[in-house]
Amino acid sequence: SLELRVPLSSVISSAQMGVSVFADAGRAWDHGAAFDDAPTYVGRGAGLWLAAPFFHAGLSVAHGRGSGFRVNVSLGITYE
C-alpha cells in the first residue's frame, strides 16, 4: 500500500484540508492453493480529507483493476 496526503490549507490554522491519492496491490488464496496461482489484485483511488483538533472526516473513491468503483466516507473523533 502507498498513500500520499497533500494538505491544501495552512498548517497554522486549527483545521487542515487536503487531498490524497493511494494505490494497493496484494494476493489472496485459499488454503491448500499455490501462492503462484493466486491473482494479484490492484486498486487505486483519490480522496478529500479534513482534520480538526477533535474531529476528522474523509471522502474517497477507489477503483480496483477488473472491478467497479467504491466510495468510502469516514467520520471520527480524534483523541490522544
Side-chain angles (χ1 to χ4, degrees), residues 17-47:
M17 186 170 125
V19 295
S20 63
V21 293
F22 51 88
D24 187 49
R27 288 183 171 191
W29 63 97
D30 291 326
H31 178 71
F35 177 78
D36 293 336
D37 295 337
T40 300
Y41 298 99
V42 179
R44 59 195 164 275

Side-chain angles (χ1 to χ4, degrees), residues 7-28:
L8 299 177
S9 63
S10 171
V11 250
I12 298 172
S13 67
S14 62
Q16 282 190 313
M17 186 170 125
V19 295
S20 63
V21 293
F22 51 88
D24 187 49
R27 288 183 171 191

Side-chain angles (χ1 to χ4, degrees), residues 42-45 61-71:
V42 179
R44 59 195 164 275
V61 177
H63 181 264
R65 185 175 64 194
S67 65
F69 286 91
R70 291 191 178 205
V71 176

